[in-house]
């Protein structure tokens, strides 16, 4: 971590004034307009601001993050010294975030010269730049080199330095270019393993096939890099993928095998299909032994076109976030999901206009809430589930979504909010003339709702909130009293334990 220049600015008022004007790094503006945090949870220190309302932060590893007043943010240097050298050597850097070394020296120099000449029309920068550079010990660097440094820094923003609005959880936009699509880093190991499998080493075949994560990623790599000579290795991966029961990759492996049109694979596919009930359902359409090669190819092509294909950008984002998480790329998965959720939130805000049709489906929101929960990010899970619950229409769906919201709120320690959500569940259950509710007392939904009432009652009692615990216990007993015998049987022990705990608080 290098912050020599930042220390000098803090110690020398003359240098601090030069940095503030004309280079717009003002230590006296070290405040941001809203509370923010990093999506990764890393530390963040506000160190300076500029006259446009932008703010400079130093992150835990010393990197400098800039956030503008329009809701965009990005890393501009690996240290305070590097960031200050950029700002002094390239005072128009905020106008250069679209530039790349690929643009060529001539174009970069022309753009920087034009932009700096516009600055000089208002005030001089050359003498002050020379003075500040000398005082801070910075060498003179070409604008081309500085643009290259800026580009490299901006590309490091995701996933470790994505800035969030602390209250709403929305991510700041990218200040500069987007990095590679998620599928590229996710598929990298699979592509390596696929190349090694093609070399035919039995030890590699065994290692890849017996590792569930490597096997899945390699099958995905084979989806987008298909070769005539892959049939035997695909058969090998297919046989081993049956250990995971019915997965998307098992269906993919069957399709990739079927596309080769070898009727000798029909017994294998039939054997795989009979692995268990779920696999039989998932591969129910596979041709029986005795079918023709054309029938086998037709089955595989139809499934390939409807579910897979050869373009990784066509895959649902959940494919890549799941595989990223399985490989330990947690922050990469989290940031991708946050931006996915932000997009849905933006779409919903547009749909709230009077002239907009109500077309937003809530299925992605429910899946996002579950994905965030599995990543251990309860704030984002709550954000997704809040919106999901607000959009439900039938009483059954409202009760189910609010129940899930209450559970997440309880697990996040938001006990009063969880109690409010359970009150909304009970309100939904009391909806008159809603056919969706006619069996809720006899199925798992009723049992789950009763259980959550008792779990929250226990949490309230443990948190020293006896009055709220007693009130919710009464509501819990009322829900339990409406359940069928079969549904209630699994809840009674929890109910008795909860009642005993509440009595202790008395």
């Amino acid at each position: 971590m290098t912050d020599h220049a930042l220390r000098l600015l803090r110690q020398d008022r003359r240098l601090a004034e030069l940095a503030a004007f004309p280079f717009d790094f003002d230590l006296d503006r070290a405040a941001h307009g809203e509370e923010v945090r990093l999506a990764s949870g890393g530390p963040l220190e506000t160190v300076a601001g500029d006259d446009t309302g932008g703010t400079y932060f130093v992150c835990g590893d010393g990197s400098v993050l800039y956030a503008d007043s329009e809701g965009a943010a990005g890393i501009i240097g690996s240290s305070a010294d590097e960031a200050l050298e950029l700002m002094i050597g390239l005072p128009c850097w905020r106008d250069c975030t679209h530039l790349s070394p690929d643009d060529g020296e001539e174009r970069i120099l022309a753009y920087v010269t034009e932009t700096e000449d516009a600055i000089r029309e208002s005030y001089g920068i050359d003498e002050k730049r020379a003075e500040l550079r000398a005082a801070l010990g910075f060498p003179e660097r070409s604008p081309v080199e500085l643009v290259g440094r800026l580009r490299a820094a901006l590309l490091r923003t995701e996933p470790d330095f994505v800035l969030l609005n602390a209250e709403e959880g929305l991510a700041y936009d990218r200040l500069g270019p987007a990095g590679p699509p998620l599928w590229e880093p996710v598929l990298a190991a699979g592509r390596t393993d696929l190349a090694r499998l093609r070399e035919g080493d039995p030890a590699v075949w065994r290692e890849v096939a017996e590792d569930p994560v490597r096997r899945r990623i390699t099958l995905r790599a084979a989806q987008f890099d298909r070769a005539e000579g892959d049939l035997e290795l695909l058969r090998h991966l297919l046989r081993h993928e049956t250990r995971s029961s019915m997965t998307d990759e098992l269906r993919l492996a069957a399709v990739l095998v079927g596309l080769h049109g070898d009727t000798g694979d029909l017994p294998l596919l039939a054997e795989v299909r009979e692995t268990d009930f779920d696999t039989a359902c998932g591969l129910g359409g596979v041709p029986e032994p005795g079918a023709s090669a054309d029938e086998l190819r037709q089955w595989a092509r139809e499934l390939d076109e409807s579910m897979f294909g050869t373009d990784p950008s066509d895959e649902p984002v959940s494919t890549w976030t799941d595989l990223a998480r399985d490989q330990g790329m947690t922050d990469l998965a989290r940031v991708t999901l946050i931006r996915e959720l932000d997009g849905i939130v933006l779409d919903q805000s547009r749909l709230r206009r009077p002239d907009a049709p109500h077309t937003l489906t809530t299925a992605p929101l429910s899946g996002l809430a579950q994905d965030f929960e599995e990543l251990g990010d309860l704030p984002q899970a709550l954000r997704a589930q809040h919106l999901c619950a607000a959009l439900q229409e039938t009483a059954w769906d409202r009760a189910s979504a609010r129940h899930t919201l209450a559970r997440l709120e309880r697990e996040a320690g938001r006990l009063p909010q969880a109690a409010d959500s359970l009150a909304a569940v009970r309100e939904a259950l009391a909806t008159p003339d809603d056919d969706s509710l006619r069996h809720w007392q006899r199925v798992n939904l009723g049992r789950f709702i009763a259980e959550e009432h008792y779990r929250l009652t226990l949490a309230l009692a443990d948190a020293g909130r006896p009055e709220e615990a007693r009130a919710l216990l009464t509501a819990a007993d009322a829900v339990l009293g409406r359940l069928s015998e079969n549904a209630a049987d699994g809840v009674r022990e929890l109910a008795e334990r909860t009642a005993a705990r509440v009595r202790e608080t008395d």
Side-chain angles (χ1 to χ4, degrees), residues 133-157:
R133 265 181 176 159
L136 299 180
F138 291 156
E140 183 174 348
R141 298 188 192 275
S142 161
V144 177
E145 181 180 354
L146 292 174
V147 164
R149 286 184 167 202
L150 174 61
R151 179 85 173 189
L154 290 169
L155 286 171
R156 286 202 305 113
T157 303

PDB file of all heavy atoms in Angstrom, residues 133-157:
ATOM      1  N   ARG A 133       3.799  17.827  -9.148  1.00  0.00           N
ATOM      2  CA  ARG A 133       4.540  16.608  -9.483  1.00  0.00           C
ATOM      3  C   ARG A 133       5.890  16.580  -8.762  1.00  0.00           C
ATOM      4  O   ARG A 133       6.270  15.565  -8.178  1.00  0.00           O
ATOM      5  CB  ARG A 133       4.777  16.551 -10.989  1.00  0.00           C
ATOM      6  CG  ARG A 133       3.759  15.759 -11.781  1.00  0.00           C
ATOM      7  CD  ARG A 133       4.149  15.777 -13.241  1.00  0.00           C
ATOM      8  NE  ARG A 133       3.257  14.965 -14.045  1.00  0.00           N
ATOM      9  CZ  ARG A 133       3.112  15.111 -15.355  1.00  0.00           C
ATOM     10  NH1 ARG A 133       3.805  16.055 -16.005  1.00  0.00           N
ATOM     11  NH2 ARG A 133       2.293  14.324 -16.029  1.00  0.00           N
ATOM     12  N   ALA A 134       6.577  17.682  -8.803  1.00  0.00           N
ATOM     13  CA  ALA A 134       7.907  17.731  -8.179  1.00  0.00           C
ATOM     14  C   ALA A 134       7.807  17.546  -6.667  1.00  0.00           C
ATOM     15  O   ALA A 134       8.601  16.815  -6.063  1.00  0.00           O
ATOM     16  CB  ALA A 134       8.575  19.060  -8.517  1.00  0.00           C
ATOM     17  N   ALA A 135       6.817  18.177  -6.046  1.00  0.00           N
ATOM     18  CA  ALA A 135       6.675  18.096  -4.596  1.00  0.00           C
ATOM     19  C   ALA A 135       6.311  16.681  -4.142  1.00  0.00           C
ATOM     20  O   ALA A 135       6.760  16.229  -3.083  1.00  0.00           O
ATOM     21  CB  ALA A 135       5.612  19.092  -4.121  1.00  0.00           C
ATOM     22  N   LEU A 136       5.521  16.003  -4.960  1.00  0.00           N
ATOM     23  CA  LEU A 136       5.082  14.656  -4.575  1.00  0.00           C
ATOM     24  C   LEU A 136       5.993  13.562  -5.102  1.00  0.00           C
ATOM     25  O   LEU A 136       5.806  12.384  -4.781  1.00  0.00           O
ATOM     26  CB  LEU A 136       3.651  14.421  -5.085  1.00  0.00           C
ATOM     27  CG  LEU A 136       2.585  15.376  -4.534  1.00  0.00           C
ATOM     28  CD1 LEU A 136       1.216  15.037  -5.115  1.00  0.00           C
ATOM     29  CD2 LEU A 136       2.536  15.325  -3.004  1.00  0.00           C
ATOM     30  N   GLY A 137       6.983  13.948  -5.918  1.00  0.00           N
ATOM     31  CA  GLY A 137       7.937  12.967  -6.424  1.00  0.00           C
ATOM     32  C   GLY A 137       7.412  12.118  -7.556  1.00  0.00           C
ATOM     33  O   GLY A 137       7.864  10.972  -7.745  1.00  0.00           O
ATOM     34  N   PHE A 138       6.483  12.660  -8.339  1.00  0.00           N
ATOM     35  CA  PHE A 138       5.915  11.900  -9.449  1.00  0.00           C
ATOM     36  C   PHE A 138       6.692  12.166 -10.729  1.00  0.00           C
ATOM     37  O   PHE A 138       7.009  13.323 -11.042  1.00  0.00           O
ATOM     38  CB  PHE A 138       4.447  12.285  -9.693  1.00  0.00           C
ATOM     39  CG  PHE A 138       3.509  11.849  -8.607  1.00  0.00           C
ATOM     40  CD1 PHE A 138       2.308  12.518  -8.409  1.00  0.00           C
ATOM     41  CD2 PHE A 138       3.796  10.765  -7.793  1.00  0.00           C
ATOM     42  CE1 PHE A 138       1.420  12.125  -7.424  1.00  0.00           C
ATOM     43  CE2 PHE A 138       2.924  10.358  -6.807  1.00  0.00           C
ATOM     44  CZ  PHE A 138       1.724  11.046  -6.605  1.00  0.00           C
ATOM     45  N   PRO A 139       6.990  11.134 -11.507  1.00  0.00           N
ATOM     46  CA  PRO A 139       7.639  11.350 -12.811  1.00  0.00           C
ATOM     47  C   PRO A 139       6.615  11.857 -13.827  1.00  0.00           C
ATOM     48  O   PRO A 139       5.408  11.770 -13.612  1.00  0.00           O
ATOM     49  CB  PRO A 139       8.125   9.953 -13.190  1.00  0.00           C
ATOM     50  CG  PRO A 139       7.126   9.038 -12.545  1.00  0.00           C
ATOM     51  CD  PRO A 139       6.745   9.705 -11.248  1.00  0.00           C
ATOM     52  N   GLU A 140       7.111  12.379 -14.912  1.00  0.00           N
ATOM     53  CA  GLU A 140       6.220  12.794 -16.001  1.00  0.00           C
ATOM     54  C   GLU A 140       5.941  11.583 -16.883  1.00  0.00           C
ATOM     55  O   GLU A 140       6.865  10.922 -17.366  1.00  0.00           O
ATOM     56  CB  GLU A 140       6.877  13.905 -16.828  1.00  0.00           C
ATOM     57  CG  GLU A 140       5.966  14.437 -17.927  1.00  0.00           C
ATOM     58  CD  GLU A 140       6.560  15.640 -18.648  1.00  0.00           C
ATOM     59  OE1 GLU A 140       7.565  16.190 -18.132  1.00  0.00           O
ATOM     60  OE2 GLU A 140       6.031  16.010 -19.697  1.00  0.00           O
ATOM     61  N   ARG A 141       4.676  11.283 -17.038  1.00  0.00           N
ATOM     62  CA  ARG A 141       4.292  10.114 -17.843  1.00  0.00           C
ATOM     63  C   ARG A 141       3.440  10.543 -19.027  1.00  0.00           C
ATOM     64  O   ARG A 141       2.697  11.520 -18.960  1.00  0.00           O
ATOM     65  CB  ARG A 141       3.506   9.096 -17.007  1.00  0.00           C
ATOM     66  CG  ARG A 141       4.284   8.509 -15.848  1.00  0.00           C
ATOM     67  CD  ARG A 141       3.515   7.374 -15.191  1.00  0.00           C
ATOM     68  NE  ARG A 141       4.116   6.980 -13.923  1.00  0.00           N
ATOM     69  CZ  ARG A 141       5.118   6.116 -13.807  1.00  0.00           C
ATOM     70  NH1 ARG A 141       5.635   5.557 -14.889  1.00  0.00           N
ATOM     71  NH2 ARG A 141       5.596   5.810 -12.617  1.00  0.00           N
ATOM     72  N   SER A 142       3.522   9.762 -20.083  1.00  0.00           N
ATOM     73  CA  SER A 142       2.732  10.035 -21.283  1.00  0.00           C
ATOM     74  C   SER A 142       1.250   9.836 -20.993  1.00  0.00           C
ATOM     75  O   SER A 142       0.865   8.927 -20.239  1.00  0.00           O
ATOM     76  CB  SER A 142       3.154   9.092 -22.412  1.00  0.00           C
ATOM     77  OG  SER A 142       2.168   9.015 -23.409  1.00  0.00           O
ATOM     78  N   PRO A 143       0.381  10.667 -21.577  1.00  0.00           N
ATOM     79  CA  PRO A 143      -1.058  10.430 -21.447  1.00  0.00           C
ATOM     80  C   PRO A 143      -1.462   9.031 -21.912  1.00  0.00           C
ATOM     81  O   PRO A 143      -2.408   8.442 -21.376  1.00  0.00           O
ATOM     82  CB  PRO A 143      -1.670  11.509 -22.342  1.00  0.00           C
ATOM     83  CG  PRO A 143      -0.662  12.605 -22.373  1.00  0.00           C
ATOM     84  CD  PRO A 143       0.658  11.913 -22.320  1.00  0.00           C
ATOM     85  N   VAL A 144      -0.746   8.490 -22.872  1.00  0.00           N
ATOM     86  CA  VAL A 144      -1.066   7.138 -23.356  1.00  0.00           C
ATOM     87  C   VAL A 144      -0.862   6.117 -22.241  1.00  0.00           C
ATOM     88  O   VAL A 144      -1.694   5.224 -22.029  1.00  0.00           O
ATOM     89  CB  VAL A 144      -0.189   6.787 -24.576  1.00  0.00           C
ATOM     90  CG1 VAL A 144      -0.467   5.351 -25.026  1.00  0.00           C
ATOM     91  CG2 VAL A 144      -0.446   7.765 -25.715  1.00  0.00           C
ATOM     92  N   GLU A 145       0.258   6.261 -21.514  1.00  0.00           N
ATOM     93  CA  GLU A 145       0.523   5.354 -20.398  1.00  0.00           C
ATOM     94  C   GLU A 145      -0.531   5.527 -19.296  1.00  0.00           C
ATOM     95  O   GLU A 145      -1.014   4.540 -18.724  1.00  0.00           O
ATOM     96  CB  GLU A 145       1.919   5.592 -19.833  1.00  0.00           C
ATOM     97  CG  GLU A 145       2.264   4.657 -18.676  1.00  0.00           C
ATOM     98  CD  GLU A 145       3.658   4.890 -18.116  1.00  0.00           C
ATOM     99  OE1 GLU A 145       4.415   5.708 -18.700  1.00  0.00           O
ATOM    100  OE2 GLU A 145       4.000   4.256 -17.097  1.00  0.00           O
ATOM    101  N   LEU A 146      -0.893   6.771 -19.009  1.00  0.00           N
ATOM    102  CA  LEU A 146      -1.879   7.024 -17.955  1.00  0.00           C
ATOM    103  C   LEU A 146      -3.256   6.486 -18.336  1.00  0.00           C
ATOM    104  O   LEU A 146      -3.978   5.950 -17.495  1.00  0.00           O
ATOM    105  CB  LEU A 146      -1.949   8.523 -17.657  1.00  0.00           C
ATOM    106  CG  LEU A 146      -0.695   9.116 -17.010  1.00  0.00           C
ATOM    107  CD1 LEU A 146      -0.821  10.625 -16.901  1.00  0.00           C
ATOM    108  CD2 LEU A 146      -0.444   8.500 -15.632  1.00  0.00           C
ATOM    109  N   VAL A 147      -3.618   6.619 -19.604  1.00  0.00           N
ATOM    110  CA  VAL A 147      -4.894   6.049 -20.060  1.00  0.00           C
ATOM    111  C   VAL A 147      -4.872   4.531 -19.907  1.00  0.00           C
ATOM    112  O   VAL A 147      -5.864   3.913 -19.491  1.00  0.00           O
ATOM    113  CB  VAL A 147      -5.173   6.459 -21.521  1.00  0.00           C
ATOM    114  CG1 VAL A 147      -6.271   5.582 -22.127  1.00  0.00           C
ATOM    115  CG2 VAL A 147      -5.576   7.924 -21.598  1.00  0.00           C
ATOM    116  N   GLY A 148      -3.743   3.914 -20.221  1.00  0.00           N
ATOM    117  CA  GLY A 148      -3.632   2.467 -20.038  1.00  0.00           C
ATOM    118  C   GLY A 148      -3.769   2.059 -18.585  1.00  0.00           C
ATOM    119  O   GLY A 148      -4.430   1.063 -18.256  1.00  0.00           O
ATOM    120  N   ARG A 149      -3.153   2.832 -17.689  1.00  0.00           N
ATOM    121  CA  ARG A 149      -3.270   2.553 -16.255  1.00  0.00           C
ATOM    122  C   ARG A 149      -4.717   2.712 -15.782  1.00  0.00           C
ATOM    123  O   ARG A 149      -5.223   1.906 -14.989  1.00  0.00           O
ATOM    124  CB  ARG A 149      -2.371   3.493 -15.464  1.00  0.00           C
ATOM    125  CG  ARG A 149      -0.897   3.182 -15.530  1.00  0.00           C
ATOM    126  CD  ARG A 149      -0.134   4.131 -14.614  1.00  0.00           C
ATOM    127  NE  ARG A 149       1.231   3.701 -14.389  1.00  0.00           N
ATOM    128  CZ  ARG A 149       1.954   4.084 -13.343  1.00  0.00           C
ATOM    129  NH1 ARG A 149       1.430   4.893 -12.441  1.00  0.00           N
ATOM    130  NH2 ARG A 149       3.191   3.660 -13.207  1.00  0.00           N
ATOM    131  N   LEU A 150      -5.358   3.784 -16.263  1.00  0.00           N
ATOM    132  CA  LEU A 150      -6.750   4.019 -15.872  1.00  0.00           C
ATOM    133  C   LEU A 150      -7.633   2.865 -16.333  1.00  0.00           C
ATOM    134  O   LEU A 150      -8.471   2.369 -15.573  1.00  0.00           O
ATOM    135  CB  LEU A 150      -7.242   5.337 -16.471  1.00  0.00           C
ATOM    136  CG  LEU A 150      -8.727   5.667 -16.273  1.00  0.00           C
ATOM    137  CD1 LEU A 150      -9.071   5.771 -14.794  1.00  0.00           C
ATOM    138  CD2 LEU A 150      -9.087   6.961 -17.002  1.00  0.00           C
ATOM    139  N   ARG A 151      -7.447   2.437 -17.553  1.00  0.00           N
ATOM    140  CA  ARG A 151      -8.250   1.336 -18.099  1.00  0.00           C
ATOM    141  C   ARG A 151      -8.062   0.067 -17.269  1.00  0.00           C
ATOM    142  O   ARG A 151      -9.032  -0.609 -16.915  1.00  0.00           O
ATOM    143  CB  ARG A 151      -7.829   1.080 -19.545  1.00  0.00           C
ATOM    144  CG  ARG A 151      -8.561  -0.068 -20.230  1.00  0.00           C
ATOM    145  CD  ARG A 151      -9.852   0.398 -20.794  1.00  0.00           C
ATOM    146  NE  ARG A 151     -10.491  -0.645 -21.604  1.00  0.00           N
ATOM    147  CZ  ARG A 151     -11.558  -0.429 -22.346  1.00  0.00           C
ATOM    148  NH1 ARG A 151     -12.086   0.779 -22.413  1.00  0.00           N
ATOM    149  NH2 ARG A 151     -12.099  -1.404 -23.041  1.00  0.00           N
ATOM    150  N   ALA A 152      -6.829  -0.254 -16.944  1.00  0.00           N
ATOM    151  CA  ALA A 152      -6.549  -1.460 -16.157  1.00  0.00           C
ATOM    152  C   ALA A 152      -7.169  -1.362 -14.769  1.00  0.00           C
ATOM    153  O   ALA A 152      -7.697  -2.343 -14.244  1.00  0.00           O
ATOM    154  CB  ALA A 152      -5.041  -1.675 -16.060  1.00  0.00           C
ATOM    155  N   ALA A 153      -7.112  -0.180 -14.174  1.00  0.00           N
ATOM    156  CA  ALA A 153      -7.688   0.002 -12.837  1.00  0.00           C
ATOM    157  C   ALA A 153      -9.205  -0.154 -12.873  1.00  0.00           C
ATOM    158  O   ALA A 153      -9.797  -0.841 -12.027  1.00  0.00           O
ATOM    159  CB  ALA A 153      -7.306   1.377 -12.286  1.00  0.00           C
ATOM    160  N   LEU A 154      -9.854   0.476 -13.843  1.00  0.00           N
ATOM    161  CA  LEU A 154     -11.312   0.387 -13.942  1.00  0.00           C
ATOM    162  C   LEU A 154     -11.771  -1.057 -14.118  1.00  0.00           C
ATOM    163  O   LEU A 154     -12.800  -1.459 -13.570  1.00  0.00           O
ATOM    164  CB  LEU A 154     -11.811   1.242 -15.101  1.00  0.00           C
ATOM    165  CG  LEU A 154     -11.706   2.764 -14.924  1.00  0.00           C
ATOM    166  CD1 LEU A 154     -11.992   3.479 -16.237  1.00  0.00           C
ATOM    167  CD2 LEU A 154     -12.662   3.248 -13.835  1.00  0.00           C
ATOM    168  N   LEU A 155     -11.004  -1.834 -14.855  1.00  0.00           N
ATOM    169  CA  LEU A 155     -11.383  -3.230 -15.085  1.00  0.00           C
ATOM    170  C   LEU A 155     -11.224  -4.094 -13.841  1.00  0.00           C
ATOM    171  O   LEU A 155     -11.709  -5.225 -13.808  1.00  0.00           O
ATOM    172  CB  LEU A 155     -10.552  -3.814 -16.237  1.00  0.00           C
ATOM    173  CG  LEU A 155     -10.947  -3.323 -17.635  1.00  0.00           C
ATOM    174  CD1 LEU A 155      -9.933  -3.786 -18.673  1.00  0.00           C
ATOM    175  CD2 LEU A 155     -12.345  -3.810 -18.000  1.00  0.00           C
ATOM    176  N   ARG A 156     -10.542  -3.561 -12.815  1.00  0.00           N
ATOM    177  CA  ARG A 156     -10.414  -4.303 -11.548  1.00  0.00           C
ATOM    178  C   ARG A 156     -11.582  -4.051 -10.603  1.00  0.00           C
ATOM    179  O   ARG A 156     -11.654  -4.643  -9.528  1.00  0.00           O
ATOM    180  CB  ARG A 156      -9.125  -3.893 -10.826  1.00  0.00           C
ATOM    181  CG  ARG A 156      -7.849  -4.429 -11.430  1.00  0.00           C
ATOM    182  CD  ARG A 156      -6.724  -4.442 -10.396  1.00  0.00           C
ATOM    183  NE  ARG A 156      -6.497  -3.153  -9.778  1.00  0.00           N
ATOM    184  CZ  ARG A 156      -6.733  -2.890  -8.494  1.00  0.00           C
ATOM    185  NH1 ARG A 156      -7.248  -3.807  -7.689  1.00  0.00           N
ATOM    186  NH2 ARG A 156      -6.478  -1.680  -8.005  1.00  0.00           N
ATOM    187  N   THR A 157     -12.510  -3.189 -10.988  1.00  0.00           N
ATOM    188  CA  THR A 157     -13.582  -2.812 -10.066  1.00  0.00           C
ATOM    189  C   THR A 157     -14.429  -4.006  -9.666  1.00  0.00           C
ATOM    190  O   THR A 157     -14.752  -4.196  -8.485  1.00  0.00           O
ATOM    191  CB  THR A 157     -14.469  -1.725 -10.699  1.00  0.00           C
ATOM    192  OG1 THR A 157     -13.646  -0.605 -11.061  1.00  0.00           O
ATOM    193  CG2 THR A 157     -15.539  -1.271  -9.731  1.00  0.00           C
TER     194      THR A 157
END
